Amino acid sequence: SMNFVDNTYGLQYASNSAFNFGTGNFTVEAWANITNASSNSTFFTAGGNVNSGGSFAFWIEGNNLKIRRNGLSGDISVAFDNAWRNSWHHFAAVRGNGKYAIFVDGKLVVDGADNGTVAVTDTNPTVAQLSGFPNHYALIGQVRNLRVVKGTALYAGSTVGTNYFTPPTAPLSKVSGTVLLLLAQKPGNASYDSSDYNWVPQNTFTLPTYVAP
């Protein structure tokens, strides 16, 4: 696992057009073990400033699990259940089928309409830090198998509270459209990217340490 010890830890990537999601479908998912140390934890942002146009962020703020897209145009949010802390759970944010949706352990927990016209154009993503607000919404805990897939909504569902898939327990695969894949399999380089891009963090944050499975 990638171990994020305190709010100085995180990953920042240089801007690249490969991360331009535009108005298309995409999926962000990860297995994470979120501690009680903070009511705020970030999984992934597209970069820029989360409160500005063209943004996307998937994070926990004030004990609410949420998606923000295109700045302050409206969040998709649900209370973060205490049962999701201090143990491993699968979290996924998906854009597709005219919706933004959040799944926890395969269950659709909240969704919101997407008219398909608002583009996600920020292209300098962060992991475990909220873009534009460094060291304030950092993920404290462990993450493994973080995958970002451009062009595909890997999971779908229409009824909140319904289980739609069983989260994969094997390491996530490099499916078509994968632009970031952090499997945390290299003890000497916990943040090694297993996508075809092999991104290297352009970091101002402390890199996560490695925790053996």
Side-chain angles (χ1 to χ4, degrees), residues 2 29-31 143-147 169-172 181-184:
M2 295 182 292
E29 63 181 313
W31 281 93
V143 175
R144 63 185 178 219
N145 289 296
L146 185 144
R147 178 170 65 180
T169 55
L172 295 175
L181 183 59
L182 307 180
L183 299 177

Side-chain angles (χ1 to χ4, degrees), residues 1-203:
S1 307
M2 295 182 292
N3 189 31
F4 299 90
V5 177
D6 59 37
N7 64 6
T8 68
Y9 284 69
L11 302 172
Q12 170 78 60
Y13 295 93
S15 181
N16 192 286
S17 60
F19 292 113
N20 189 331
F21 300 141
T23 58
N25 295 345
F26 62 89
T27 303
V28 177
E29 63 181 313
W31 281 93
N33 188 336
I34 306 296
T35 71
N36 284 326
S38 175
S39 61
N40 306 309
S41 289
T42 301
F43 296 109
F44 175 86
T45 82
N49 185 306
V50 68
N51 293 331
S52 300
S55 67
F56 170 83
F58 181 34
W59 92 108
I60 305 160
E61 180 185 28
N63 290 314
N64 288 299
L65 178 62
K66 61 174 59 180
I67 286 172
R68 179 168 294 171
R69 72 275 194 236
N70 201 39
L72 299 174
S73 60
D75 292 345
I76 298 163
S77 178
V78 65
F80 193 84
D81 195 318
N82 280 334
W84 301 340
R85 294 189 181 276
N86 296 311
S87 57
W88 287 98
H89 295 276
H90 180 268
F91 300 92
V94 180
R95 184 186 196 180
N97 303 308
K99 293 182 177 182
Y100 277 94
I102 298 176
F103 297 85
V104 180
D105 297 330
K107 178 187 289 187
L108 177 63
V109 294
V110 67
D111 63 8
D114 169 42
N115 62 18
T117 63
V118 178
V120 177
T121 54
D122 289 330
T123 59
N124 55 318
T126 63
V127 171
Q129 288 279 349
L130 190 66
S131 184
F133 299 87
N135 309 122
H136 289 286
Y137 297 89
L139 186 149
I140 299 175
Q142 297 178 39
V143 175
R144 63 185 178 219
N145 289 296
L146 185 144
R147 178 170 65 180
V148 180
V149 178
K150 178 180 176 180
T152 304
L154 294 178
Y155 311 114
S158 58
T159 304
V160 172
T162 300
N163 283 82
Y164 284 99
F165 64 93
T166 300
T169 55
L172 295 175
S173 60
K174 187 176 59 179
V175 298
S176 177
T178 298
V179 292
L180 186 65
L181 183 59
L182 307 180
L183 299 177
Q185 293 180 324
K186 291 182 177 292
N189 185 2
S191 55
Y192 178 81
D193 172 35
S194 295
S195 78
D196 287 338
Y197 296 94
N198 297 132
W199 304 113
V200 176
Q202 306 294 303
N203 241 43

